Amino acid sequence: MSEQPSQVEAVQQLVKKKDAIEAQIQAYYDILEGQNHAGMDEPLVDVEGYPRTDIDVYQVRTVRHNIICLQNDHKALMKQIEEALHQLHARDREKHSLDEAELHQETREQENRLLPAIAKVDTVSPGSPASMSGLQVGDEIVVFGSVNTQNFQNLQNIAKVVQHSEGKPISITVIRNGQNIHLSLTPQRWTGRGLLGCNIVPLQN
């Protein structure tokens, strides 16, 4: 984490350097302006090929040279700033991806966290609604519709959910082989007894 601020500081330092170079270039341009608007391209000799007498030729030549050097420095610095910003953004994106990955990992861990079971399936009749939903003997019920570890008191709670849900799917979570399995069970009339066709018993503590 300490790397990020130092990277930002490095960019700030580069920007400061860039501003200083721009100020220097401007100051040199002001000198040229003062030398009879000599600029960067005005000839330093008169029509007869002699050094001009209305300007300080040596100074103009030196200033022009300095401006060219500074402009090169400026170009190199701009490239450095661009690369540094690019790295910063890439690092931000990487950090964002890592944060998202951690979040997904947490969510997965929460989903896979095994809650205490409230009851167990000890028989499932073939062709029954329970069998069709994928419920298996030995499944430990964690959630049965609105009934869960927090509000479960006895099997009567589950029986009530079944009675009130005829023809409507109930969300069920069971523990099977040490994993949470989510199923949908619709209580309904079938050829056998009851609306489920399975037997649910309290867990032996």
Side-chain angles (χ1 to χ4, degrees):
M1 296 297 286
S2 61
E3 195 181 354
Q4 192 81 343
S6 64
Q7 189 84 15
V8 173
E9 279 164 23
V11 173
Q12 286 170 343
Q13 289 301 321
L14 290 173
V15 170
K16 268 188 197 166
K17 270 192 201 171
K18 172 189 80 78
D19 291 345
I21 287 175
E22 283 170 1
Q24 269 181 297
I25 290 172
Q26 188 52 53
Y28 281 135
Y29 270 118
D30 289 344
I31 292 171
L32 291 180
E33 193 64 24
Q35 286 287 337
N36 211 359
H37 312 296
M40 291 294 285
D41 303 310
E42 288 290 311
L44 300 182
V45 292
D46 59 23
V47 287
E48 292 173 4
Y50 293 106
R52 284 170 58 178
T53 53
D54 59 333
I55 58 171
D56 182 335
V57 173
Y58 176 75
Q59 188 186 39
V60 171
R61 203 174 268 144
T62 305
V63 167
R64 283 180 179 178
H65 173 73
N66 289 345
I67 287 176
I68 290 165
C69 290
L70 285 171
Q71 281 174 339
N72 288 336
D73 291 348
H74 186 267
K75 203 180 287 181
L77 207 51
M78 288 304 286
K79 198 165 186 214
Q80 269 184 284
I81 291 170
E82 197 181 322
E83 281 169 9
L85 286 173
H86 182 70
Q87 279 179 357
L88 259 186
H89 291 183
R91 199 156 294 156
D92 278 348
R93 277 198 300 275
E94 196 181 305
K95 188 181 176 304
H96 182 65
S97 301
L98 281 173
D99 288 348
E100 277 201 343
E102 276 176 29
L103 193 66
H104 288 318
Q105 179 66 19
E106 249 176 62
T107 310
R108 273 199 299 275
E109 281 172 9
Q110 279 177 355
E111 279 179 1
N112 294 333
R113 207 168 286 142
L114 300 179
L115 293 166
I118 53 179
K120 191 172 184 175
V121 178
D122 76 342
T123 60
V124 176
S125 304
S128 66
S131 169
M132 305 294 275
S133 76
L135 211 57
Q136 294 180 10
V137 172
D139 283 351
E140 294 186 358
I141 296 168
V142 178
V143 176
F144 194 100
S146 57
V147 181
N148 55 42
T149 318
Q150 269 82 35
N151 58 18
F152 176 76
Q153 290 162 331
N154 52 47
L155 291 178
Q156 196 56 39
N157 302 137
I158 291 176
K160 272 187 188 160
V161 171
V162 173
Q163 285 158 15
H164 290 108
S165 304
E166 189 173 345
K168 296 179 207 149
I170 301 169
S171 287
I172 296 176
T173 303
V174 300
I175 298 173
R176 184 185 301 163
N177 302 326
Q179 280 192 313
N180 286 333
I181 309 280
H182 304 289
L183 304 169
S184 179
L185 170 58
T186 305
Q188 54 199 1
R189 310 250 167 231
W190 64 294
T191 51
R193 280 180 61 240
L195 296 172
L196 298 181
C198 68
N199 194 39
I200 296 170
V201 294
L203 275 177
Q204 302 302 316
N205 292 326

